Amino acid sequence: MKKNALTLICLMSVVSLIGGLASCTPGANTSGGSTTTNTGGDVKSVTFDFWHTFGQGIVDNIQKKIDAFHDLVLENEGVNVTINFAYQGSYDDIVSKITQGFSAGNVPTLAVAYPDHVANYLSAETKPGEYVVNIQTLIDDPTIGLGKEEYLGDTYGEDDFVASFLEEGRQFVREGTYTLPFMKSSEVMFYNEEAVLRALKVKDPTFVGSTKTYLENLSWDEFIEFADFIMDNKNSVLSTMEVPVYYDSDSNLFISKMFQNNIAYSSIGEDDKGVIDFESGQARTDAEAMVSELKQQYDLGTFTTKGLQGTYGSDYFTQMKSIFSIGSSGGAGYNIPTSDTFTVGVCRVPFDNDNPLYVSQGPCLTLLRNPSKSASENDLRVKYAWKFLKYITTPQNNVDICIYGSEGYIPVRESAYTTDSYLEFLVSGEDYAKTAKILLDDINGDYLNTAVFTGSARLRDEVGGLITQVLAGHKSVTQAFEDAINTTKLFM
């Protein structure tokens, strides 16, 4: 790699670099929080907002990266970059604030997002690119594209991103890349190792071997049979147990079962509109049969869900009211009991049809333009937000944030997994490391990506509600499907 040619450039070079900066009003600022100013010396200043939903551990680590990025850009480009890193509440909160901000002129340049959120931002545009930046144009830029700025540690191209993670940001009605992965997670199964071993000994007194090996070789149906056996032998396995299996996400249960059983879920039609593929025909018949089978398994008392109970499975699990907790690897810490009451094991979730496919979760980042700002100022802010986005997803920085800030997220770069610090982490035997190894070694890229369109987030919510209503016996399978489909179509 050649050394970046912008190192320690003079004032005239900076002006040329950031085009039009000197014409900006000094000190100007609006509710959008972005300014470009002349500080009176040889330094130019750029300010932009970064809105997030992170907890304190991740915040502390990203703030360190913000400080380091500031120093690097100042030294190498003579530009003073200020990032207003601001917590905005839940994912629902940040979507609401950004959507309202398009008309109010209060929009961040960089924001945490799921692709479904960005679909809503795209639908709010009156013309392409009005609000949402096509990141692909930046990835491919000959000067500041991926792998073009060595001083930022930016030495790898887009093929260094885990392919399925990167592809998630390309499932929109419009061609391009509109989110970039930041930290990822998926569903895994936490289990009470001592309780599982007792159950296996009751089932087969001669059993020897690994509980993990046993569990990861079970199909979903075989797993439910095992859970039914545990329920019948509760007093010998775990007397405090109320239900063997707790599944956190009703939506993920539906979606993953659809993909594992090769039942069409959703797509983008020829008119660039979203399509509910299981609305009718064979897909509808197969989907209803799938949910009917889940209802039969639920009625055995083998599993329950967050939609039914109103609390996360980790609560039941750590209190030894369940033996298995199926939830996000990003919430691994919540499944670790505060005392040494039992050993936590972790494995991939049993799957249907010999077809291991899992929902990709975890935050992505998107770049936005503020309608209250000029084109040149938006360009400038996007440029430096993009540089920062590259910086925090460089292998070592991404590893640092995932190891020291999160509770189970994994990095998004292939090269991150070969860094010394991540290799040391993986062999540490820590609970978070055990969880990460399941994603890397066992799931190993077998992620599913759903089409993203206006209404896709609502569809996800509705199919989750469908599962809840059917399992609880509040609706028939046919009625639940009809209601979920019709409600979703109101938002498409």
Side-chain angles (χ1 to χ4, degrees):
M1 294 289 174
K2 292 184 178 180
K3 202 69 176 173
N4 191 292
L6 299 180
T7 304
L8 299 178
I9 54 178
C10 65
L11 174 59
M12 292 306 295
S13 298
V14 174
V15 174
S16 174
L17 168 70
I18 62 179
L21 181 60
S23 65
C24 298
T25 303
N29 196 5
T30 71
S31 57
S34 299
T35 71
T36 56
T37 64
N38 188 323
T39 61
D42 290 341
V43 177
K44 294 294 180 178
S45 179
V46 181
T47 301
F48 65 84
D49 291 344
F50 178 8
W51 286 6
H52 70 89
T53 59
F54 300 131
Q56 195 59 48
I58 296 175
V59 167
D60 290 343
N61 277 273
I62 292 179
Q63 188 59 58
K64 293 176 183 177
K65 304 305 178 187
I66 289 173
D67 295 340
F69 174 78
H70 169 273
D71 293 346
L72 278 172
V73 176
L74 184 61
E75 177 184 353
N76 287 273
E77 298 190 27
V79 177
N80 182 32
V81 180
T82 300
I83 302 175
N84 294 325
F85 187 42
Y87 177 73
Q88 299 298 323
S90 68
Y91 282 108
D92 288 342
D93 292 333
I94 200 169
V95 172
S96 176
K97 290 178 181 179
I98 288 174
T99 302
Q100 294 173 17
F102 290 137
S103 58
N106 183 20
V107 180
T109 307
L110 184 62
V112 168
Y114 277 114
D116 284 330
H117 303 160
V118 178
N120 292 333
Y121 306 156
L122 288 169
S123 69
E125 295 181 337
T126 57
K127 59 182 179 181
E130 182 179 9
Y131 301 141
V132 187
V133 175
N134 181 358
I135 298 174
Q136 193 63 46
T137 62
L138 295 164
I139 291 174
D140 297 334
D141 188 278
T143 303
I144 61 171
L146 279 176
K148 302 296 184 181
E149 296 184 282
E150 187 175 356
Y151 87 88
L152 291 174
D154 170 37
T155 57
Y156 294 91
E158 69 178 289
D159 59 350
D160 190 46
F161 279 91
V162 176
S164 55
F165 295 161
L166 186 61
E167 191 61 28
E168 184 181 30
R170 295 171 170 168
Q171 302 296 308
F172 296 89
V173 297
R174 187 183 302 163
E175 185 176 352
T177 302
Y178 296 96
T179 66
L180 207 64
F182 180 43
M183 300 182 295
K184 301 306 288 182
S185 62
S186 188
E187 286 185 323
V188 295
M189 186 165 75
F190 304 95
Y191 63 93
N192 181 321
E193 195 161 325
E194 288 80 8
V196 170
L197 186 57
R198 284 194 295 271
L200 290 172
K201 289 287 189 181
V202 171
K203 193 170 186 285
D204 178 9
T206 65
F207 174 83
V208 292
S210 161
T211 55
K212 179 179 181 295
T213 300
Y214 176 83
L215 292 171
E216 66 187 6
N217 283 290
L218 294 178
S219 69
W220 175 262
D221 289 344
E222 291 169 339
F223 174 61
I224 290 297
E225 289 178 10
F226 184 47
D228 189 33
F229 173 82
I230 290 174
M231 199 66 190
D232 290 341
N233 293 273
K234 168 183 172 178
N235 291 334
S236 300
V237 177
L238 187 66
S239 60
T240 56
M241 182 189 69
E242 295 182 9
V243 62
V245 183
Y246 202 119
Y247 207 117
D248 268 347
S249 174
D250 299 56
S251 297
N252 286 353
L253 175 59
F254 182 95
I255 294 169
S256 60
K257 294 300 176 194
M258 291 283 283
F259 275 77
Q260 290 169 8
N261 286 282
N262 299 307
I263 306 171
Y265 173 66
S266 67
S267 60
I268 296 171
E270 293 181 359
D271 58 355
D272 288 338
K273 301 291 185 182
V275 178
I276 303 173
D277 290 333
F278 60 88
E279 182 177 357
S280 60
Q282 189 61 47
R284 173 70 174 267
T285 301
D286 293 344
E288 287 196 8
M290 179 195 79
V291 173
S292 295
E293 185 174 359
L294 287 172
K295 169 64 171 169
Q296 293 171 8
Q297 294 172 342
Y298 169 78
D299 287 344
L300 293 173
T302 55
F303 77 95
T304 192
T305 70
K306 180 177 179 290
L308 291 160
Q309 303 299 331
T311 186
Y312 284 101
S314 56
D315 294 336
Y316 268 55
F317 183 63
T318 55
Q319 296 171 35
M320 294 195 293
K321 294 194 292 185
S322 71
I323 292 177
F324 303 96
S325 173
I326 299 174
S328 171
S329 60
Y334 296 106
N335 286 282
I336 301 170
T338 54
S339 58
D340 296 329
T341 49
F342 63 90
T343 305
V344 178
V346 59
C347 64
R348 67 181 178 181
V349 182
F351 48 88
D352 283 332
N353 201 33
D354 197 26
N355 189 24
L357 288 173
Y358 298 92
V359 175
S360 175
Q361 299 177 295
C364 299
L365 297 174
T366 191
L367 291 166
L368 302 170
R369 300 174 71 87
N370 191 324
S372 70
K373 299 293 184 179
S374 67
S376 60
E377 189 169 358
N378 271 305
D379 289 346
L380 184 63
R381 293 181 306 158
V382 166
K383 179 178 183 176
Y384 282 92
W386 162 244
K387 288 172 180 276
F388 179 68
L389 200 167
K390 289 195 299 178
Y391 179 68
I392 57 175
T393 55
T394 54
Q396 190 59 58
N397 285 338
N398 207 214
V399 165
D400 291 345
I401 293 168
C402 288
I403 291 180
Y404 305 114
S406 78
E407 293 187 341
Y409 288 107
I410 62 171
V412 297
R413 298 279 202 133
E414 297 285 1
S415 57
Y417 306 136
T418 61
T419 60
D420 290 343
S421 55
Y422 205 71
L423 290 172
E424 290 172 6
F425 166 72
L426 290 176
V427 299
S428 68
E430 296 178 4
D431 290 302
Y432 297 145
K434 289 193 295 184
T435 302
K437 283 177 69 66
I438 298 303
L439 270 66
L440 298 179
D441 297 340
D442 296 345
I443 295 179
N444 190 26
D446 289 332
Y447 297 106
L448 60 91
N449 284 312
T450 59
V452 184
F453 49 83
T454 303
S456 60
R458 186 70 187 201
L459 178 60
R460 183 181 297 272
D461 292 340
E462 289 298 322
V463 298
L466 181 161
I467 290 288
T468 307
Q469 294 295 317
V470 170
L471 297 187
H474 295 159
K475 292 181 181 180
S476 69
V477 172
T478 299
Q479 188 61 55
F481 268 82
E482 203 66 23
D483 291 347
I485 291 168
N486 289 337
T487 300
T488 299
K489 290 170 77 172
L490 296 174
F491 293 84
M492 293 175 64

